[in-house]
C-alpha cells in the first residue's frame, strides 16, 4: 500500500461532545474515542501526518447536528 500521499484528518473530537454537563454532549460519542485513538496512533507510527479540525458551535449547542 502506497501511503506517500496519505493523511489522517480528525474532525470535531471535542471534550464537550463527551461531557454530560455540556450542551454539546452527544449520546454514545465516547464509544468512538478508542477507534479514533487507535487510528491516530497508527498514523503516527507510519509517519502519516495527522490534522485536527474543530468547528465552532454556539454555546447552547443549537447548531450541533
Amino acid at each position: 500500500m502506497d501511503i506517500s500521499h496519505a493523511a489522517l484528518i480528525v474532525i470535531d473530537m471535542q471534550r464537550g461532545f463527551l461531557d454530560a454537563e455540556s450542551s454539546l454532549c452527544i449520546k454514545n460519542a465516547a464509544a468512538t474515542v478508542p477507534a479514533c485513538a487507535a487510528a491516530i496512533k497508527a498514523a503516527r507510527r507510519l509517519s502519516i501526518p495527522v490534522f485536527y479540525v474543530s468547528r465552532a458551535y454556539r454555546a447552547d449547542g443549537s447548531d450541533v447536528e
Side-chain angles (χ1 to χ4, degrees):
M1 174 170 55
D2 180 13
I3 60 169
S4 61
H5 292 85
L8 176 65
I9 302 172
V10 181
I11 301 173
D12 273 352
M13 289 301 294
Q14 300 180 41
R15 186 173 307 276
F17 294 140
L18 307 176
D19 182 357
E21 301 299 316
S22 171
S23 61
L24 302 177
C25 187
I26 298 173
K27 184 180 178 181
N28 299 322
T32 67
V33 173
C36 290
I40 292 165
K41 184 177 179 179
R44 289 182 176 152
R45 185 178 65 250
L46 296 169
S47 298
I48 294 172
V50 179
F51 296 90
Y52 297 90
V53 178
S54 293
R55 290 177 49 192
Y57 297 99
R58 294 184 182 120
D60 67 1
S62 63
D63 58 344
V64 175
E65 291 81 30

